[in-house]
Amino acid sequence: MGKGKSKTDIIKEIEEFFLEIKNKTPKKIKKLAMRYNVPLKEKRKTFCKKCFTPYENPKIRIKNKIKSVTCENCGSVSRWRIKSNSS
Ligand SMILES: [Zn+2]
């Protein structure tokens, strides 16, 4: 705890957090990730970027390779381009 955490520790902490994201607020973990420069990548998409509520039953729409996810908590819409590299 406290100072002297390595980036590996932080990555592990983030991974563990996202394994059980339900009923948690990713706000802190996002700050942590930003501070240690750890990219959240796909994990970013598991919670609302506005109110930080983890998505449970979001409205998902896919149109023109853009995925729109509506937060059931605040109504904020996040959009992501769907990559078409199916390897
Ligand atoms: Zn929200």
Side-chain angles (χ1 to χ4, degrees):
M1 298 296 259
K3 290 173 193 170
K5 270 187 185 175
S6 71
K7 196 170 175 178
T8 319
D9 290 336
I10 300 300
I11 292 169
K12 206 179 151 200
E13 202 173 305
I14 292 167
E15 291 287 341
E16 278 168 10
F17 179 90
F18 279 98
L19 283 177
E20 267 193 70
I21 192 174
K22 275 185 188 180
N23 304 318
K24 286 181 186 170
T25 307
K27 202 171 188 171
K28 246 174 91 180
I29 216 82
K30 201 191 172 190
K31 269 189 181 173
L32 197 71
M34 280 168 78
R35 202 167 71 185
Y36 285 87
N37 224 350
V38 178
L40 292 180
K41 292 176 195 163
E42 294 296 306
K43 294 180 193 73
R44 254 181 346 109
K45 301 175 183 177
T46 59
F47 62 88
C48 174
K49 64 180 192 293
K50 204 168 184 183
C51 70
F52 297 98
T53 303
Y55 291 134
E56 271 188 66
N57 282 304
K59 279 183 209 160
I60 297 170
R61 278 180 57 187
I62 293 164
K63 199 181 170 188
N64 299 330
K65 287 183 180 175
I66 305 282
K67 188 178 174 186
S68 310
V69 180
T70 307
C71 172
E72 67 261 59
N73 185 53
C74 74
S76 167
V77 183
S78 301
R79 292 181 183 88
W80 300 290
R81 192 171 292 276
I82 298 167
K83 287 173 192 165
S84 49
N85 53 334
S86 48
S87 54

